[in-house]
Amino acid sequence: MIMGIAALVFIPLLAIAIAHFLWSIGRTWPIKDPDLLARTVIGRPGVTRVPKFASFVVAVAVLAAGIVALSLADHAAGGTTLNLIGAAIGAVFIARGIAGYTPQWRAAFPGEPFATLDRRNYSPLCLFIGAGFLLLVLLRLI
């Protein structure tokens, strides 16, 4: 069961990491128009391109989080340090998921289609991933 949960956390993280990596090398997949891609994934007025370096950093960080998720499935790996890292990553994802529903976040990222996609997809996915991390840590402790 724990490996299944880790896989359910890892798979979307891998997809997110791949997308960000592609954006970091100048690809605009899955949207051909760079301006529309920026409005879809960033949502800040005036942003017309996805920043390459920031996309690369996000790709590496998200892939690392996915590797941590898989590592949490192994009870013998990492001990307390891995548990703390997993709990911290889970808290970050949950905080991001909750933030997506706040008026402050909406004011900072009002652009469409990002705002709608954030409420419907991005924030719920962050909540799901964060809950998955916390569940993986909890299952290691019991």
Side-chain angles (χ1 to χ4, degrees), residues 1-7 69 72-75 135-137 139-140:
M1 178 170 95
I2 195 167
M3 194 58 190
I5 295 167
L72 286 167
D74 180 2
H75 286 290
L135 184 58
L136 287 168
V137 171
L139 289 172
R140 285 172 56 94

Side-chain angles (χ1 to χ4, degrees), residues 23-126:
W23 301 334
S24 78
I25 61 171
R27 306 293 298 204
T28 58
W29 177 89
I31 299 170
K32 298 231 186 257
D33 177 31
D35 181 61
L36 179 57
L37 178 65
R39 287 185 287 130
T40 301
V41 300
I42 299 171
R44 279 198 185 247
V47 176
T48 59
R49 298 271 191 258
V50 175
K52 290 181 180 183
F53 182 72
S55 294
F56 182 75
V57 170
V58 170
V60 170
V62 169
L63 183 59
I67 292 167
V68 170
L70 292 177
S71 298
L72 286 167
D74 180 2
H75 286 290
T80 302
T81 302
L82 184 60
N83 291 343
L84 291 172
I85 292 168
I89 293 170
V92 167
F93 274 101
I94 287 176
R96 166 55 185 92
I98 291 169
Y101 295 108
T102 64
Q104 296 85 357
W105 185 269
R106 200 54 40 230
F109 302 96
E112 288 294 346
F114 176 83
T116 299
L117 290 169
D118 189 36
R119 281 190 307 275
R120 291 183 185 166
N121 300 77
Y122 307 154
S123 289
L125 182 60
C126 286

